[in-house]
Amino acid sequence: MNDPALEPQIYILDTGGQYTHLIARKVRELGVYAEVVASETETSRFSKAKGLIISGGPSSVYEDGSPTIDGALLRAGIPVLGICYGQQLMAYRLDGAVTKGVKGEYGLAHLDIAGASPLFRGVANHQQVWMSHRDTVTAPPTGYSVLASTDTCAVAAIGNEATRQYGVQFHPEVVHTTEGLKILRNFVFAICGCTEDWQPASRIPVVEQQIRDVAGDRNIFFFVSGGVDSTVAYTLCLRALGEARVHGAYVDTGLMREGETEFVRGIFDSLGARHFRIELAQEEFLGALDGVTEPERKRKIIGEKFVEIQETVLESGPYLDGQWILGQGTIYPDTIESGGTAKADLIKTHHNRVAGIQKLIDAKRIVEPLASFYKDEVREIGRELGLPAAFLDRHPFPGPGLGIRCLGAERDEPIEVIDGGWIAPVHSVGVQGDSRSYRPVLIVDHLDHAHATEAINANQRVNRVIGIVGRNLPMDRLSVIASGISPDRMDRLRHADAVVRRLSLEADFESQVWQFPVVLIPVGGDGLPDSVVLRPIHSVDGMTAQSVVMPKPLLHRMRDALLAIPGVAAVFYDLTHKPPGTIEWE
Ligand code: XMP
C-alpha cells in the first residue's frame, strides 16, 4: 500500500542495486515524497512526476536481460538523474559509449568537477566520492557534456542542461560521498523544481483515515513481535478504531531474550490494549527443535511452528469470520511493488510472510498501515505517538530469535591446530558475492580487526574468524561437543545475552553499535559445555556490516562476567565483517 493521498514527485527506477532504497530514503530526508518502481515501468506512469532517478545495479548493459528503461523515458521531457548503472544505461540508450570494464573500481575516489553545472552548484571542485562499478561511460551522448572526472574514470558525471538529464558514475546516496546529499538536493529542488511535501509524523491522521477506510465495519487482529514496526502499526490501529476493535497476540516461543515477554506486556498495557494476549508456546518450539542443528532446517521449523500457533490463536476466537482483518507491520522496503526482494532471503530464509497469512493477504483481508514508510520514518511516527525512546531505538532482532544464536553440533569433534590459530568445526553462514557459504570458524589468539579479512582469504576452509577474549580452560582442552537446542543451553545463552546487554547499556556502548548479537557455540571441555561469542557490529541496513572494536575496560568486564556463568568455557570476539560473514551465525 503506497500512500494514495500523495503523488510522488520523484520516482526511483530500480535496476537491482543494493542502494536503491537508500536513494529514496535520502530524497525523503530532503522532505520530498519519493517511491521506488521497477526500472521498466511505462513512461505514462510518470506523467505527474517532477523527476526520475535511475538507480545503480550490478548488471552490465551488454548482458542479455539486464535491467532497462522504457524506450520513451528519455524523450518525455522529465528531468532524469542516472546513478552508476543508471548513467551507463542512459548513455547506452542514447548514442554515448559504454566500455566493458575488467577490473572495476571500488571504494573512495577523488572527483574533479570540470565547470559550472546546476547539479554541482555549491559543491567543492575537488571532493571525495564513493565508486563501485565495472563498466564505464567513455563518451557522453550527443548534447551531453562531461561534468566531472576522477583519476581512473574520465567520464564520472555527464549532463545535458537543455533536457535536464544528468548522470553520475559515483554514488551520491552513500555517506562516503561527502557532498552527496547536496548533489541530490540540487537535482531534486533546483533541477526538478520539487517542493517540500513530506514529513512522516504529519501523515498520522491520513494513515488513521486509511485504516478506517480499509477496515470499514470490520475489526483488526494483530500478531505483534515486540519490534518497533508491529507495535507502531498496532498503536495506529488502536487510535483509528479504538481498543475494543483491535485485538492482538504475542507468541512467546521460548527463544526470546530475558525479560522480553514482560517488556512487551508492559508496552501493551501502557497503550491501553485491553484485548491483547500472550500465547505461551515455549515447550512446542523447544520440542520441535530438539536435536536439530542445520540452520535452514531450524529456520523452517521455527517458521512452521509460528504458523501452527498463529492458526490456533486465530481459530480460538471469531477472527476467521468476515468481521475481522489482519493487521501487519510491513514497512516500505518489504513491499513487493518497491522491489522488496531482500537479498538476505537468498542467504537465509526469513519467515515474516508466513503461508497461512498469505491467504488473508490474497483475500485482501489485511491492513498494513506502515507500508509506505522507512524504518526511520516509523520511529519518527512512534515518537509522535508517544512511544518511549528506549523502545523505539531498540536494535533489530531476528524473527527466529535466540534459536539461530544457539549453535549445535551433531557429534564430538576435536579442534584442529593450524599455523597461526585453530580451526573449530562449528559451521556458520557466510555470504560471498551473492552466494551462501557454510563453513568452520578460525580461532586466533588476538583481536586484530585489520587482519581478519586477510586471515579468512588465506584460509579458504573458513568464512569467519573469532579472537580469544578469555578462557576458563587451556585451548588444548577445548573441543566441539555434540549438542542441540535444550532448555539448559537456552537459559545459558539468555543469561549471557542479558549480561552483555546490561554492561553494554551501562557503558553507553549499546547506542554506538547497530546490533550486538551474542552467540552460544558448543565449544568446551571438563564439564563446561559452551562458549560465548560477542558480535557487535556497525551497519546501515544489515546488507553489509563491520565488526566494531570495543573499549578494553568494557571488554574485560564482559569477559569476567561471562566466564563466571555456569557452564561457560571461553569467550570469543567475532572479528568478521559482512561480507564474508553474515551478521547472525545461522
Ligand atoms: P544476516 O545474518 O543475514 O542478517 O547478515 C541481516 C539482518 O537481518 C536480521 N535477520 C532477520 N530478521 N527475520 C528477521 O526479521 C529473520 O529470519 C532474520 N534473520 C536475520 C539480522 O538480525 C540482521 O539484522
Side-chain angles (χ1 to χ4, degrees):
M1 179 170 80
N2 283 321
D3 195 332
L6 201 59
E7 193 74 45
Q9 297 184 71
I10 299 282
Y11 281 94
I12 320 299
L13 279 63
D14 179 19
T15 68
Q18 58 170 329
Y19 299 127
T20 304
H21 274 291
L22 191 57
I23 303 170
R25 263 167 56 198
K26 292 286 171 188
V27 173
R28 289 187 183 191
E29 256 175 61
L30 295 170
V32 171
Y33 187 59
E35 283 181 9
V36 176
V37 293
S39 66
E40 288 86 359
T41 303
E42 279 181 31
T43 304
S44 57
R45 168 98 179 256
F46 306 127
S47 58
K48 294 198 183 129
K50 298 253 179 67
L52 308 173
I53 300 179
I54 310 173
S55 84
S59 313
S60 164
V61 291
Y62 294 112
E63 278 160 24
D64 276 349
S66 58
T68 186
I69 45 175
D70 183 28
L73 192 90
L74 296 173
R75 286 181 273 109
I78 312 169
V80 178
L81 174 65
I83 295 177
C84 192
Y85 178 77
Q87 170 179 264
Q88 295 158 21
L89 195 53
M90 283 169 76
Y92 181 69
R93 294 304 296 255
L94 298 167
D95 60 355
V98 178
T99 302
K100 231 175 149 30
V102 188
K103 236 176 91 228
E105 184 183 15
Y106 303 94
L108 296 178
H110 289 281
L111 187 76
D112 291 312
I113 294 174
S117 145
L119 190 65
F120 294 129
R121 189 165 301 148
V123 171
N125 279 344
H126 305 281
Q127 57 155 314
Q128 174 185 298
V129 295
W130 175 259
M131 291 280 204
S132 174
H133 66 109
R134 249 178 324 145
D135 296 358
T136 42
V137 174
T138 39
T142 310
Y144 282 71
S145 43
V146 177
L147 303 178
S149 59
T150 71
D151 281 351
T152 49
C153 179
V155 186
I158 55 173
N160 180 335
E161 268 170 48
T163 60
R164 295 178 297 164
Q165 292 177 349
Y166 297 84
V168 291
Q169 184 53 64
F170 58 90
H171 287 271
E173 70 277 20
V174 306
V175 288
H176 312 291
T177 298
T178 326
E179 299 206 75
L181 202 58
K182 213 182 257 177
I183 296 168
L184 287 176
R185 186 192 302 275
N186 284 340
F187 178 70
V188 165
F189 292 111
I191 295 168
C192 300
C194 292
T195 48
E196 287 187 30
D197 65 347
W198 182 246
Q199 209 197 354
S202 70
R203 308 296 302 164
I204 292 171
V206 180
V207 174
E208 288 176 7
Q209 189 53 48
Q210 283 171 2
I211 294 169
R212 283 189 286 270
D213 292 346
V214 173
D217 61 358
R218 299 174 297 182
N219 306 318
I220 301 180
F221 188 87
F222 256 97
F223 286 105
V224 300
S225 66
V228 172
D229 305 339
S230 60
T231 307
V232 171
Y234 194 102
T235 310
L236 287 164
C237 290
L238 273 181
R239 285 169 53 117
L241 299 184
E243 50 85 21
R245 292 179 60 194
V246 186
H247 293 198
Y250 162 89
V251 180
D252 183 338
T253 59
L255 306 171
M256 332 300 301
R257 307 175 89 169
E258 191 176 282
E260 178 67 9
T261 300
E262 296 70 24
F263 182 83
V264 171
R265 194 194 302 277
I267 291 273
F268 281 81
D269 277 352
S270 68
L271 287 175
R274 268 202 303 128
H275 300 283
F276 175 74
R277 68 191 246 197
I278 288 178
E279 190 69 21
L280 299 177
Q282 295 98 317
E283 282 172 21
E284 272 122 311
F285 278 87
L286 291 187
L289 287 167
D290 192 19
V292 183
T293 55
E294 206 280 311
E296 279 301 295
R297 260 198 78 210
K298 273 169 133 177
R299 283 175 171 270
K300 188 153 181 284
I301 290 171
I302 296 171
E304 284 171 358
K305 261 290 162 232
F306 254 112
V307 179
E308 225 179 281
I309 309 274
Q310 289 182 335
E311 275 172 1
T312 317
V313 171
L314 289 174
E315 282 162 8
S316 72
Y319 307 120
L320 291 172
D321 74 26
Q323 264 316 100
W324 289 82
I325 60 173
L326 193 75
Q328 293 249 96
T330 318
I331 63 171
Y332 188 47
D334 302 333
T335 57
I336 311 234
E337 225 227 341
S338 74
T341 46
K343 281 234 179 67
D345 282 359
L346 306 172
I347 312 298
K348 296 173 183 183
T349 312
H350 287 203
H351 61 81
N352 302 356
R353 288 240 179 201
V354 291
I357 286 172
Q358 193 61 41
K359 275 191 244 151
L360 291 168
I361 297 175
D362 296 344
K364 301 225 178 339
R365 284 177 52 194
I366 185 151
V367 58
E368 298 180 314
L370 299 175
S372 54
F373 299 99
Y374 286 108
K375 192 87 183 184
D376 291 342
E377 299 173 334
V378 172
R379 291 205 179 93
E380 212 175 308
I381 291 172
R383 260 190 292 281
E384 185 71 18
L385 296 174
L387 287 163
F391 170 73
L392 294 172
D393 297 334
R394 292 177 111 194
H395 290 166
F397 190 70
L402 296 180
I404 53 164
R405 295 182 181 170
C406 184
L407 272 78
E410 280 192 354
R411 63 189 93 83
D412 291 343
E413 270 185 275
I415 289 175
E416 182 190 339
V417 183
I418 61 158
D419 192 20
W422 299 263
I423 291 184
V426 175
H427 287 64
S428 75
V429 179
V431 52
Q432 272 138 321
D434 274 339
S435 320
R436 176 187 199 267
S437 67
Y438 187 54
R439 293 186 192 153
V441 62
L442 173 68
I443 301 176
V444 291
D445 198 8
H446 60 74
L447 299 182
D448 181 359
H449 279 83
H451 295 106
T453 306
E454 230 170 78
I456 292 173
N457 289 341
N459 280 285
Q460 293 295 317
R461 286 162 61 197
V462 303
N463 59 3
R464 196 177 286 274
V465 52
I466 58 179
I468 302 169
V469 176
R471 315 179 251 110
N472 282 324
L473 294 176
M475 273 310 286
D476 60 11
R477 299 261 282 284
L478 293 179
S479 65
V480 171
I481 299 174
S483 47
I485 290 189
S486 63
D488 270 6
R489 295 189 72 225
M490 280 307 298
D491 282 345
R492 192 171 293 128
L493 172 56
R494 227 186 310 273
H495 187 167
D497 177 65
V499 162
V500 168
R501 197 147 46 127
R502 177 174 54 78
L503 293 172
S504 179
L505 274 168
E506 277 172 19
D508 199 25
F509 184 65
E510 189 84 349
S511 61
Q512 294 168 41
V513 291
W514 190 77
Q515 200 177 9
F516 193 165
V518 174
V519 182
L520 197 74
I521 58 173
V523 167
D526 296 356
L528 305 175
D530 285 311
S531 291
V532 174
V533 183
L534 303 171
R535 175 118 181 90
I537 54 113
H538 270 317
S539 181
V540 176
D541 52 13
M543 298 292 290
T544 60
Q546 297 79 46
S547 171
V548 177
V549 180
M550 191 190 297
K552 276 271 151 51
L554 174 62
L555 183 63
H556 293 159
R557 278 201 295 282
M558 277 186 193
R559 174 197 61 197
D560 296 345
L562 291 169
L563 287 176
I565 294 176
V568 172
V571 176
F572 298 100
Y573 202 100
D574 192 336
L575 304 167
T576 324
H577 304 308
K578 173 184 180 178
T582 49
I583 296 172
E584 308 286 351
W585 277 47
E586 294 194 330

